[in-house]
Amino acid sequence: MHPTKKAGRIAGAIYASMVFVGPFSLIYVPDKLIVRGDATATAANILSHESMFRLWIMSDLWMSVVFICLGVALYNLLNGVSKAWALLMLSFVLVSATVGFLDTLNNIGADLLFRGADFLSVIDKTQRDALGMLFIRLHSKGIFINELFWGLWLFPFGLLVCRSGFLPRWIGVWLMINCFAYVILSPIALFSPAYYGTVFNFAQPVLFGELAIMLWLLIKGAKVPAESRAPAPAAI
């Protein structure tokens, strides 16, 4: 297999692993464990399903690790197109992963409060539950902050795809539009959460840009340039 095509397939496989973990971490577990506006019920759910909550923490950490691996894989694939734009893409990925790592501390703090470690015995359980719920809410806000970087890295990525010649230009344009969708969604989630659901529903078709590039890389890889496929002339 040509190195360019192989690099594309590797990047697609890494991307796919994020797609499978993401819904579990971002949708399934929060829907199962968090009761909006009820700290006591949320604490009871988490203590009753502690393994699921800890798996949530580990999946958050894993997503950040895999995102770094994805950034490196895409950098290796696209840095020949423009090293400056590829470095910018990778920089946004690294910042996003760092935000993700730090945000996971909020869920770890919530776990400590809900379980009521010995040094927390001086705090009433109701107060511990309320503080734990605060950390859960901060984790959610951290995800919305990270949406900004989930968008920003897509602009240089999309531009590199457009310029590459071995990936579809239309997907590159889609990725750049996808960038602006996340950049708009992040402040809405932070400052006008009542409108977030409506805007998110309108933006959903745009947000499938990442799914499109993931499937293309996974199934087709990167198109090998014609000059790379041509056999070398025989030596005389």
Side-chain angles (χ1 to χ4, degrees):
M1 183 183 293
H2 190 276
T4 302
K5 195 174 188 69
K6 182 178 180 181
R9 289 279 175 81
I10 291 171
I14 297 171
Y15 225 142
S17 68
M18 284 190 69
V19 170
F20 288 121
V21 175
F24 174 81
S25 180
L26 297 173
I27 301 172
Y28 179 77
V29 179
D31 283 350
K32 286 287 185 181
L33 298 183
I34 298 173
V35 181
R36 185 177 295 273
D38 193 332
T40 303
T42 299
N45 280 347
I46 289 173
L47 291 174
S48 300
H49 303 88
E50 199 162 355
S51 296
M52 182 185 292
F53 187 70
R54 291 180 177 179
L55 192 59
W56 183 17
I57 291 171
M58 292 307 301
S59 64
D60 277 351
L61 294 172
W62 175 249
M63 280 180 64
S64 294
V65 171
V66 174
F67 197 21
I68 293 172
C69 294
L70 175 62
V72 172
L74 290 172
Y75 175 83
N76 289 335
L77 176 65
L78 296 166
N79 76 88
V81 179
S82 170
K83 193 165 187 177
W85 283 106
L87 280 171
L88 182 62
M89 175 190 71
L90 183 58
S91 297
F92 283 135
V93 168
L94 293 175
V95 172
S96 177
T98 302
V99 172
F101 286 131
L102 293 175
D103 191 35
T104 305
L105 285 172
N106 286 312
N107 272 356
I108 294 172
D111 186 44
L112 289 172
L113 285 163
F114 289 145
R115 285 190 294 114
D118 292 341
F119 64 90
L120 292 170
S121 59
V122 296
I123 305 175
D124 180 78
K125 184 180 185 307
T126 304
Q127 294 175 321
R128 290 202 311 270
D129 289 349
L131 286 171
M133 191 67 171
L134 173 62
F135 277 100
I136 294 288
R137 292 289 299 275
L138 287 174
H139 177 266
S140 175
K141 295 297 184 182
I143 291 173
F144 294 137
I145 290 171
N146 216 358
E147 278 190 341
L148 179 65
F149 297 101
W150 293 351
L152 289 175
W153 86 284
L154 291 176
F155 188 86
F157 180 24
L159 188 64
L160 289 164
V161 169
C162 283
R163 293 181 176 180
S164 68
F166 51 76
L167 291 169
R169 184 182 295 271
W170 61 270
I171 294 184
V173 173
W174 196 350
L175 288 170
M176 287 189 283
I177 298 171
N178 199 155
C179 157
F180 291 108
Y182 274 128
V183 169
I184 291 169
L185 281 168
S186 177
I188 290 174
L190 292 171
F191 304 118
S192 302
Y195 300 101
Y196 181 82
T198 302
V199 178
F200 181 85
N201 289 335
F202 277 111
Q204 264 195 329
V206 175
L207 299 176
F208 287 130
E210 285 192 86
L211 182 62
I213 189 64
M214 182 272 289
L215 291 172
W216 187 279
L217 289 170
L218 188 63
I219 297 169
K220 303 198 73 170
K223 181 182 177 183
V224 180
E227 59 270 20
S228 300
R229 296 195 300 264
I236 298 176

